[in-house]
Amino acid sequence: MSQAIKFAYWVPNVSGGLVVSKIEQRTHWDIDYNRTLAQIAERAGFDYALSQIRFTAGYGADNQHESVTISHALLAATEKLKVIAAILPGPWTPALAAKQLASIDQFTGGRIAVNVVSGWFKGEFRAIGEPWLDHDERYRRSEEFIRALKGIWTQDNFSFHGDFYRFNDYSLRPKPLQRPHPEIFQGGSSRAARDMASRVSDWYFTNGNSVAGIKAQIDDLRAKAAANGHSVKVGVNAFIIARDSEEEAQAVLAEIIAKADPEAVRGFASEAKNAGAASPEGEGNWAQSSFEDLVQYNDGFKTNLIGTPRQVAERIVALKAVGVDLILSGFLHFQEEVEYFGRRVLPLVRELEQEVVAPRAVA
């Protein structure tokens, strides 16, 4: 029997919500809001929460809580939810990340994971005094970072001599509780991102896209992974607008776009597309994104989980059918909409999954 599709939500530990718009968002970045949200999400049936990593203001994100710190706070407020802490190679070294996360894993009964972010915001790197590497070099560094994490977490007397990181006879103690190690996520939609995932990552996050576009990425990724003797699961970004009627859901989308902050969207587009344009193929995340797409940071509108609970559930099951293992969700009003999703949408997803499985069981 195929595994049930999993659900994660973006932790709003960064101000401004998940859309670059002046529409009202009943979402807040402070710790009290986020603790309550984590508890709502856990009750609603979400498996993961993903904290964001930002060091500087920009594009509506004026305030940011640090990702590992807030991840630990959310874990302390919940019992089952797994929290994925976003980490940026450069500010973090593998030794620091491995030690931090191993301790948190011990403290929380094995509920921490990591999202290794290769970086897209050149201005942020410049602001904090970190060198800005070429596109494929950023992914090469991230791959070494992941190889080092795995080695530190699974071996004693670990040695590694790469271009970016070096270890000599290092033994971390205590090691994480999770075996073989905490789950390792990464993002990206470029060839370099998929190539890296096909070699070292447990999970690959991609931006929102159509079912056909996502299938093409998954097919490429899994063929490469199979050739490497590796397997990788896939998560897809989606901004979810589930409402009692399709007209209401589409009206919310139209209002978000109508109230977009043009200057902020164009600034984000310039930074994001420049990062991808530096890749050898001249593509990457956001390469084909319109102004409207970029109102949601990670092309979440493109996934089209916008409509009634049944429409959204059917589209989620269609994504599962092409190989998606997890939906990474953003919402306008997080607390209310995560609760609504758990009550109205997720049960329909489970029903539809069973309907797909049942004929095979009979056969």
Side-chain angles (χ1 to χ4, degrees):
M1 183 182 295
S2 65
Q3 291 290 314
I5 195 165
K6 296 182 181 295
F7 294 92
Y9 73 91
W10 285 98
V11 175
N13 58 299
V14 172
S15 64
L18 268 288
V19 291
V20 190
S21 175
K22 295 178 180 178
I23 191 172
E24 179 196 10
Q25 298 186 68
R26 294 189 297 277
T27 291
H28 204 272
W29 58 280
D30 70 17
I31 186 58
D32 290 337
Y33 183 94
N34 273 289
R35 282 195 189 102
T36 301
L37 173 59
Q39 292 163 351
I40 291 169
E42 184 172 73
R43 291 194 298 270
F46 279 73
D47 305 280
Y48 299 91
L50 173 63
S51 62
Q52 304 175 62
I53 181 61
R54 289 286 292 273
F55 281 93
T56 62
Y59 321 119
D62 293 333
N63 297 282
Q64 320 90 30
H65 283 306
E66 190 275 317
S67 56
V68 177
T69 308
I70 198 166
S71 294
H72 194 190
L74 300 184
L75 287 164
T78 53
E79 297 178 353
K80 296 181 294 183
L81 190 71
K82 185 173 279 191
V83 183
I84 310 162
I87 282 180
L88 193 60
W92 272 272
T93 64
L96 172 62
K99 191 72 172 175
Q100 274 184 307
L101 298 172
S103 291
I104 295 172
D105 206 56
Q106 288 274 338
F107 299 161
T108 62
R111 291 193 289 131
I112 192 69
V114 60
N115 182 37
V116 177
V117 179
S118 295
W120 60 269
F121 191 177
K122 183 177 181 180
E124 183 172 63
F125 275 69
R126 184 185 300 116
I128 63 175
E130 288 287 337
W132 179 248
L133 304 178
D134 287 342
H135 180 276
D136 281 14
E137 288 293 280
R138 297 197 298 276
Y139 282 99
R140 210 160 65 80
R141 178 171 66 175
S142 291
E143 182 165 340
E144 283 195 12
F145 193 101
I146 290 172
R147 290 185 185 278
L149 277 183
K150 287 182 173 181
I152 294 167
W153 281 338
T154 61
Q155 301 175 34
D156 284 329
N157 309 111
F158 173 66
S159 293
F160 180 86
H161 299 105
D163 292 333
F164 300 94
Y165 305 110
R166 299 196 172 194
F167 291 85
N168 298 292
D169 197 30
Y170 175 51
S171 295
L172 171 72
R173 292 178 185 163
K175 288 182 167 51
L177 292 177
Q178 294 182 77
R179 295 289 184 267
H181 52 71
E183 292 175 292
I184 298 172
F185 293 71
Q186 67 146 109
S189 294
S190 65
R191 173 204 46 78
R194 291 195 297 278
D195 287 355
M196 174 180 134
S198 76
R199 291 187 291 264
V200 297
S201 300
D202 300 314
W203 284 88
Y204 170 74
F205 279 136
T206 189
N207 274 6
N209 207 333
S210 65
V211 172
I214 291 166
K215 182 180 186 302
Q217 288 189 42
I218 292 174
D219 289 348
D220 176 64
L221 171 67
R222 292 214 161 117
K224 289 174 176 175
N228 295 328
H230 183 61
S231 62
V232 58
K233 296 178 182 178
V234 177
V236 172
N237 185 64
F239 193 84
I240 298 176
I241 307 175
R243 298 293 187 272
D244 291 346
S245 72
E246 183 177 12
E247 293 75 18
E248 185 183 358
Q250 290 296 331
V252 172
L253 174 62
E255 185 181 0
I256 292 170
I257 293 171
K259 293 181 177 177
D261 182 336
E263 183 179 352
V265 174
R266 284 193 289 267
F268 170 66
S270 177
E271 285 278 1
K273 292 190 177 184
N274 282 344
S279 65
E281 66 272 28
E283 292 189 3
N285 281 346
W286 309 287
Q288 306 298 324
S289 302
S290 67
F291 176 92
E292 290 77 9
D293 295 328
L294 290 164
V295 174
Q296 205 286 310
Y297 289 109
N298 292 91
D299 284 341
F301 300 150
K302 283 186 178 181
T303 313
N304 195 30
L305 299 189
I306 300 165
T308 65
R310 178 157 291 275
Q311 287 173 320
V312 171
E314 288 172 348
R315 290 166 189 166
I316 288 170
V317 174
L319 289 166
K320 180 182 177 182
V322 299
V324 172
D325 300 289
L326 178 147
I327 303 295
L328 174 57
S329 315
F331 300 90
L332 189 64
H333 310 302
F334 266 83
Q335 290 184 358
E336 302 98 300
E337 294 188 39
V338 164
E339 189 278 331
Y340 182 93
F341 184 88
R343 181 166 46 84
R344 295 290 307 279
V345 181
L346 213 154
L348 290 174
V349 172
R350 300 303 181 219
E351 287 179 19
L352 291 169
E353 286 177 319
Q354 289 302 313
E355 288 176 10
V356 171
V357 169
R360 297 178 188 168
V362 172

